[in-house]
Amino acid sequence: MARLAQTPGLTDVQRSILETVREFADKEIIPHAQRLEHADEYPTDILDGMREMGLFGLTIDEEHGGLGESLLTYALVVEELSRGWMSISGIVNTHFIVAYLISQHGSADQKARLLPKMATGEVRGAFSMSEPECGSDVSAIKSKAVRDGDTYVLNGQKMWLTNGAYSSVVATLVKTDTGADSVYGNMSTFLLEKEPGFGETAPGLTIPGKIDKMGYKGVETTEMVLDGVTVPASAVLGGEDKVGRGFYQMMDGIEVGRVNVAARACGISIRAFELAVAYAQQRKTFGQPLARHQAIAFKLAEMGTKIEAAHSLMVNAARLKDAGQRNDVEAGMAKLLASEYCAEVVQEAFRIHGGYGYSKEYEIERLMREAPFLLIGEGTSEIQKTIISRGLLKEYKL
């Protein structure tokens, strides 16, 4: 598999990190993923290994105890973890987004207090925008924060929180009445701190339980109910002066998240290709391996080409962000192409397996249930097309 998804221009440190993560995925994730996924069991032992490797602090500055690596390194690590099991990458994804938001937009106190513990994995982050009646239409959120003296009181219901239970800090977007002309200027992000677990994990903050999903198991996806949650004004991301900036802060984080989803899609595609090419060389029909039949060989060629294209777009989007450039269009392109191609590559791998692909004994069955999530996570393909087209129309405006 060394041929596909190569990334030129990496440093020795980046190569060393990726080799270590790849070996970890081969030895500690892939052999256990099927059992854990089928049981919907939280991968505690795997996460302990990731903490020892320092992966929770991968992108956090060295001054706060992290490794200080780039978004590109993070994306390539996510690709390797997803090749092992997508749920593992999901656990670190929201953690990375919250760490990024605090690093880029947090107050000095928020950085000093939270980032060192996030770097070790002692504190893990979750990210909350969606609600039961809104997903892509962020302007439709109903959860509110109302000023009460030196505090804010939050009420509402949030949805689709990955790490909702096991996290200790949740970056939460709610409406605040700032008097801005735009609805987007009347939103603020709060850092809600809580105890890990289910039930009432902080006064007024309840994590009811896990949402049962078709795939993406092991990692918990939850709701969050806010019923009179009272927090100091300093809980606003960046401090009280940043009230009304929440939407723009979250969109900055989403650009990171879309690169992550593209990386996850690439990782799953690589694994699906590995499974397909191995099966096609072992399984014989009409006196020769499947891979010798032109119909199958052409499928493998198309799968490999799609993986290369998606990987290249993902790397480009990450490098643009690392260079300090806006990458909303490129991140949207990477997420769109990688997620759509992932669904196609996994389905082709499934077809190559024939009837065995429908059996839970085969890994490809799990990938068939995981790949569709990437078509909707961090914005649907239709949302990506909207973002891309708007950006291109601005660039090529007559």
Side-chain angles (χ1 to χ4, degrees):
M1 195 52 227
R3 174 64 180 168
L4 286 182
Q6 295 298 296
T7 308
L10 299 181
T11 65
D12 291 340
V13 171
Q14 288 174 314
R15 291 192 189 95
S16 177
I17 290 172
L18 293 176
E19 288 172 4
T20 301
V21 175
R22 186 177 299 119
E23 182 178 357
F24 180 79
D26 285 337
K27 293 182 177 180
E28 304 298 335
I29 300 179
I30 291 175
H32 307 289
Q34 287 291 91
R35 176 184 62 81
L36 292 169
E37 199 273 346
H38 289 170
D40 198 9
E41 180 179 335
Y42 196 73
T44 302
D45 291 342
I46 295 175
L47 295 188
D48 287 344
M50 291 167 60
R51 286 185 63 177
E52 292 177 10
M53 294 166 64
L55 290 185
F56 285 98
L58 185 66
T59 60
I60 294 174
D61 291 341
E62 293 181 7
E63 65 178 296
H64 292 119
L67 298 179
E69 277 296 324
S70 64
L71 175 59
L72 175 61
T73 307
Y74 150 79
L76 295 175
V77 164
V78 166
E79 186 178 61
E80 294 292 345
L81 292 175
S82 299
R83 174 182 158 270
W85 182 18
M86 186 181 77
S87 292
I88 299 298
S89 68
I91 290 172
V92 295
N93 175 36
T94 53
H95 177 82
F96 282 150
I97 293 177
V98 175
Y100 173 82
L101 287 173
I102 295 173
S103 296
Q104 295 295 314
H105 304 286
S107 66
D109 174 71
Q110 290 167 348
K111 293 177 184 179
R113 189 165 51 82
L114 293 172
L115 289 179
K117 292 182 179 180
M118 294 185 76
T120 64
E122 178 184 350
V123 167
R124 297 216 301 274
F127 179 84
S128 179
M129 288 201 314
S130 295
E131 296 186 1
E133 296 182 17
C134 78
S136 299
D137 182 10
V138 180
S139 66
I141 67 172
K142 297 180 179 179
S143 297
K144 293 183 179 180
V146 177
R147 184 68 183 259
D148 183 15
D150 294 331
T151 65
Y152 281 88
V153 180
L154 282 70
N155 288 282
Q157 184 178 4
K158 308 300 284 187
M159 195 73 173
W160 307 118
L161 281 74
T162 301
N163 290 339
Y166 292 103
S167 59
S168 300
V169 57
V170 185
T172 307
L173 185 68
V174 297
K175 285 190 173 178
T176 46
D177 187 7
T178 62
D181 293 335
S182 169
V183 64
Y184 300 109
N186 286 287
M187 296 182 184
S188 301
T189 300
F190 285 80
L191 297 177
L192 302 183
E193 298 181 51
K194 67 179 187 65
E195 292 296 319
F198 294 96
E200 189 172 15
T201 57
L205 192 158
T206 301
I207 304 295
K210 291 197 300 185
I211 298 170
D212 194 18
K213 309 182 296 290
M214 176 177 76
Y216 198 30
K217 294 180 179 291
V219 57
E220 84 283 9
T221 304
T222 73
E223 298 177 62
M224 181 172 68
V225 179
L226 307 173
D227 185 11
V229 177
T230 301
V231 296
S234 59
V236 176
L237 178 61
E240 191 173 5
D241 291 344
K242 299 300 181 182
V243 170
R245 297 298 302 168
F247 173 79
Y248 307 102
Q249 293 168 339
M250 285 291 204
M251 290 304 103
D252 187 24
I254 283 291
E255 289 181 9
V256 172
R258 285 175 178 147
V259 173
N260 170 280
V261 172
R264 278 199 256 181
C266 290
I268 292 177
S269 297
I270 291 169
R271 186 58 183 163
F273 181 86
E274 289 176 344
L275 296 171
V277 77
Y279 187 83
Q281 292 180 85
Q282 295 165 5
R283 179 83 159 92
K284 292 185 177 180
T285 61
F286 303 103
Q288 61 180 346
L290 283 176
R292 295 290 183 88
H293 295 285
Q294 189 180 67
I296 302 301
F298 281 8
K299 285 182 184 293
L300 295 174
E302 291 174 0
M303 292 162 70
T305 302
K306 290 175 179 178
I307 292 170
E308 284 293 323
H311 176 84
S312 296
L313 278 184
M314 180 269 290
V315 168
N316 180 59
R319 282 183 161 150
L320 282 173
K321 191 76 169 178
D322 285 333
Q325 299 180 39
R326 186 170 178 174
N327 77 334
D328 54 338
V329 170
E330 289 77 12
M333 287 178 172
K335 194 274 180 185
L336 171 64
L337 194 76
S339 61
E340 293 286 350
Y341 276 179
C342 177
E344 295 173 15
V345 168
V346 169
Q347 186 174 85
E348 291 293 10
F350 171 79
R351 290 179 172 182
I352 288 172
H353 278 76
Y356 288 105
Y358 209 64
S359 167
K360 282 186 174 289
E361 294 181 15
Y362 280 72
E363 194 175 338
I364 191 62
E365 181 272 341
R366 169 169 61 83
L367 301 188
M368 278 290 291
R369 289 184 288 106
E370 290 177 341
F373 170 75
L374 300 174
L375 296 171
I376 56 176
E378 305 290 6
T380 63
S381 291
E382 289 70 28
I383 287 295
Q384 307 312 315
K385 291 174 185 178
T386 300
I387 293 168
I388 294 164
S389 62
R390 285 176 178 172
L392 293 177
L393 288 170
K394 287 181 181 179
E395 183 72 20
Y396 290 92
K397 189 174 181 180
L398 294 176

